């Protein structure tokens, strides 16, 4: 296979990746986007294997067995994990994948520093060029930060580990920002020392500091901000891959890494606007300590509660209904029951729509995927900016397991989520909220919406409650 053919195939794979991103931008084309991504990756892998045999026909045979074995093991494990993972656990899976990408970048950097001739960078015994050392330094430290940061994000998203760093509340201490700055400067200093000397000692120290820095960047970020963290780490993993691509002179890694890095950064920016966060603070990992988790009020307050029959009566007598899905709906896997309820209401001539907040759930697009899984028509699903002006003219808003994204506390100065755009559910004529209990949401804040005179609480598992409502609708 000639190098011209290799470049052409890498170009085709890159076009597939671009089409994948375009397809994944909308639910109607997401399956096609996934298909493009898989085809592009298959082309990239097969082309790289063929290129390896061309560069080193004698030594590629034995080494390729390890590569094929690794691909087979990783592919099988990935398929099993993807098949078994629940929708509510998707954010943890994404964080895990990001950590693996970061760790892969670190291992490639170590291997390249150890034997640069094996990657065709230099002849055996010759020093690595200065430009390549800079690229290896960047790819290695970004990969290390991505790995350790993603591990912390995984623990925070999971919420089932007792280890303090894995809990949703921010971990803050005096002098935290100063320590991060000093560590970053030390990492940069040892990185420069490696670039100048190509010595292992500063390289190992630089990597160790980067692993620690990844932890320190993520621990002050509260649970409510984890969707942004997932997006940010996605961007980091892409830049790590791109940095290694420059070192190896591999155009495929450069293009794919740049696509992931830039798209992740754009998504992070969009989500920061949706949560009223500073984009630069997100990049530096210092935005959780002031507004992440806050202690919920312990004051006992009364709420108006009702039954599934009450809800069925209110919905049946409405002209317009907006459903706000949240994480509780995902946990209960109630999306199919919700669709059946909506169909019954629509059969009565009632207008039913779904309102999606950009950061509802624990991952960007979490609610969109759930509704798509239940085959909810896309024209019934509206984003926050498109539907917020309609809440004031809506008869009934039904909130299913959402909390922070409908919390009017975002309108109150001094609140930890002040300024965060919310779905204006509180403006509707009647509000129905389904929750398992009065426990605070992911941000740890009480929600004034639950105590309004127009609000009726319905406690219980979302799927069971909605199924009872469906039965009660005549």
């Amino acid at each position: 296979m000639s190098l011209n053919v290799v470049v052409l195939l890498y170009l085709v794979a890159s076009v597939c990746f671009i089409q994948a991103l375009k397809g994944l931008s909308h639910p109607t084309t997401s399956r096609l986007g996934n298909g493009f991504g898989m085809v592009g990756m298959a082309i990239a892998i097969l082309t790289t294997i063929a290129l390896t045999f061309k560069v080193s026909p004698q030594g590629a045979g034995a080494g390729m067995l390890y590569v094929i074995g690794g691909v087979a093991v990783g592919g099988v494990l990935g398929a099993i994990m993807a098949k078994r993972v629940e929708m509510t656990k998707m954010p943890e899976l994404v964080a895990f994948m990001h950590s693996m990408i970061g760790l892969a970048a670190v291992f490639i950097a170590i291997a390249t520093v150890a034997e640069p001739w094996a990657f065709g960078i230099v002849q055996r015994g010759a020093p690595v060029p200065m430009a390549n050392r800079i690229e290896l330094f960047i790819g290695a430290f970004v990969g290390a930060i991505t790995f350790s940061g993603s591990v912390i994000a995984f623990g925070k998203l999971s919420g089932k580990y007792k280890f303090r760093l894995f809990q949703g509340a921010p971990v803050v201490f005096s002098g935290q920002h100063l320590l991060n700055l000093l560590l970053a400067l030390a990492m940069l200093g040892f990185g420069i020392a490696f670039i100048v000397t190509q010595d292992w000692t500063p390289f190992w120290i630089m990597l160790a500091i980067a692993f620690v820095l990844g932890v320190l960047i993520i621990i002050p970020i509260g649970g409510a901000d984890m969707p942004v963290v997932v997006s940010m780490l996605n961007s980091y993993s892409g830049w790590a891959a791109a940095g290694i691509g420059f070192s190896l002179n591999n155009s495929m890694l450069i293009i794919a890494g740049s696509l992931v890095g830039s798209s992740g950064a754009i998504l992070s920016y969009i989500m920061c606007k949706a949560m009223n966060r500073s984009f630069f603070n997100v990049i530096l990992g210092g935005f959780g300590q002031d507004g992440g988790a806050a202690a919920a009020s312990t004051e006992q307050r009364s709420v108006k509660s009702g039954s599934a029959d009450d809800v069925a009566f209110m919905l049946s007598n409405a002209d317009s209904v907006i459903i706000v899905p949240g994480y509780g709906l995902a946990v209960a896997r109630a999306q199919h029951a919700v669709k059946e309820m909506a169909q019954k209401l629509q059969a009565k001539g009632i207008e039913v729509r779904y309102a999606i907040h950009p950061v509802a759930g624990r991952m960007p697009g979490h609610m969109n995927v759930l509704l798509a899984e239940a085959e909810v028509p896309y024209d019934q699903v509206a984003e926050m900016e498109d539907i917020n002006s309609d809440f004031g003219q809506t008869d009934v808003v039904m909130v299913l397991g959402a909390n922070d994204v409908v919390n009017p506390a975002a309108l109150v100065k001094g609140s930890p989520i002040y300024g965060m755009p919310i779905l204006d559910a509180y403006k509707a004529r009647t509000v129905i909220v389904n929750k398992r209990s009065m426990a605070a949401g992911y941000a740890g804040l009480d929600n004034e919406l639950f105590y309004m005179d127009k609000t009726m609480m319905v406690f219980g598992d979302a799927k069971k409650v909605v199924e009872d409502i469906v039965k009660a609708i005549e």
Side-chain angles (χ1 to χ4, degrees), residues 386-397:
D386 298 323
I387 201 170
N388 248 0
S389 60
D390 296 342
F391 279 103
Q393 293 78 45
T394 301
D395 292 325
V396 178
V397 167

Side-chain angles (χ1 to χ4, degrees), residues 68-134:
I68 294 174
V71 170
V73 172
V76 170
L77 290 177
I80 293 173
M81 292 172 63
K83 186 175 179 62
R84 292 182 177 179
V85 68
E86 300 175 7
M87 272 304 305
T88 52
K89 301 298 181 184
M90 279 297 294
E92 291 100 299
L93 179 62
V94 172
F96 172 77
M97 295 300 183
H98 291 162
S99 71
M100 292 297 99
I101 295 172
L103 192 60
V106 172
F107 284 157
I108 293 173
I110 293 173
T112 306
V113 174
E115 296 184 355
W117 57 86
F119 296 88
I121 297 176
V122 295
Q123 297 295 321
R124 184 182 291 269
V128 177
M130 181 74 72
N132 290 92
R133 293 182 220 169
I134 295 173

Side-chain angles (χ1 to χ4, degrees), residues 15 48 91 97 106 122 130 213 240 279 292 340 376 381 403 418 470:
V15 172
T48 302
M97 295 300 183
V106 172
V122 295
M130 181 74 72
L213 198 56
F279 180 65
E340 184 181 358
V376 172
V381 181
N403 196 326
Y418 173 65
V470 170

Side-chain angles (χ1 to χ4, degrees), residues 52-338:
T52 303
F53 277 104
K54 176 178 176 58
V55 173
S56 179
Q58 290 80 22
M64 193 52 61
L65 291 176
Y66 292 107
V67 174
I68 294 174
V71 170
V73 172
V76 170
L77 290 177
I80 293 173
M81 292 172 63
K83 186 175 179 62
R84 292 182 177 179
V85 68
E86 300 175 7
M87 272 304 305
T88 52
K89 301 298 181 184
M90 279 297 294
E92 291 100 299
L93 179 62
V94 172
F96 172 77
M97 295 300 183
H98 291 162
S99 71
M100 292 297 99
I101 295 172
L103 192 60
V106 172
F107 284 157
I108 293 173
I110 293 173
T112 306
V113 174
E115 296 184 355
W117 57 86
F119 296 88
I121 297 176
V122 295
Q123 297 295 321
R124 184 182 291 269
V128 177
M130 181 74 72
N132 290 92
R133 293 182 220 169
I134 295 173
E135 293 156 0
L136 286 170
F137 161 60
I138 295 174
F141 90 76
V142 174
I145 289 175
T146 302
F147 170 74
S148 55
S150 296
V151 170
I152 298 299
F154 173 87
K156 283 178 173 284
L157 287 166
S158 178
K160 62 181 181 181
Y161 300 103
K162 295 183 179 179
F163 184 47
R164 178 66 182 91
L165 299 185
F166 286 167
Q167 294 177 7
V171 177
V172 295
F173 52 86
S174 179
Q176 192 167 27
H177 288 300
L178 179 60
L179 175 62
N180 288 351
L181 176 61
L182 293 175
L183 286 175
L185 292 175
M187 181 185 70
L188 180 61
F190 283 108
I192 293 173
F194 160 71
I195 292 170
V196 173
T197 65
Q198 198 179 331
D199 185 61
W200 275 108
T201 301
F203 182 81
W204 288 121
I205 296 176
M206 176 272 295
L207 270 184
I209 294 175
F211 281 123
V212 173
L213 198 56
V215 173
L216 294 178
I217 285 175
I218 303 302
I219 60 173
I221 300 177
D225 297 318
M226 276 299 114
V228 187
V229 173
V230 172
S231 175
M232 177 186 70
L233 292 171
N234 176 51
S235 179
Y236 285 0
S237 66
W239 298 127
I244 295 300
F246 279 108
S247 302
L248 303 181
N249 195 27
N250 187 302
S251 58
M252 186 72 265
L253 272 177
I254 295 171
I255 294 172
S258 298
L259 285 172
V260 174
S262 57
S263 61
I266 293 170
L267 180 59
S268 297
Y269 175 74
I270 293 172
M271 296 184 69
C272 285
K273 289 185 64 178
M275 299 182 70
N276 194 39
R277 302 299 190 189
S278 166
F279 180 65
F280 291 103
N281 282 346
V282 172
I283 295 174
L284 298 175
F287 72 105
Q289 68 273 31
D290 297 324
S297 173
T298 58
E299 178 186 356
Q300 295 295 323
R301 303 170 65 184
S302 60
V303 296
K304 182 170 62 178
S305 61
S307 66
D309 290 336
D310 298 326
V311 175
F313 176 79
M314 296 167 68
L315 293 174
S316 298
N317 287 277
D319 291 324
S320 57
V321 173
I322 294 179
I323 299 172
V324 178
Y327 187 67
L329 178 142
V331 172
R333 300 186 62 81
Q335 60 268 33
H336 295 281
V338 170

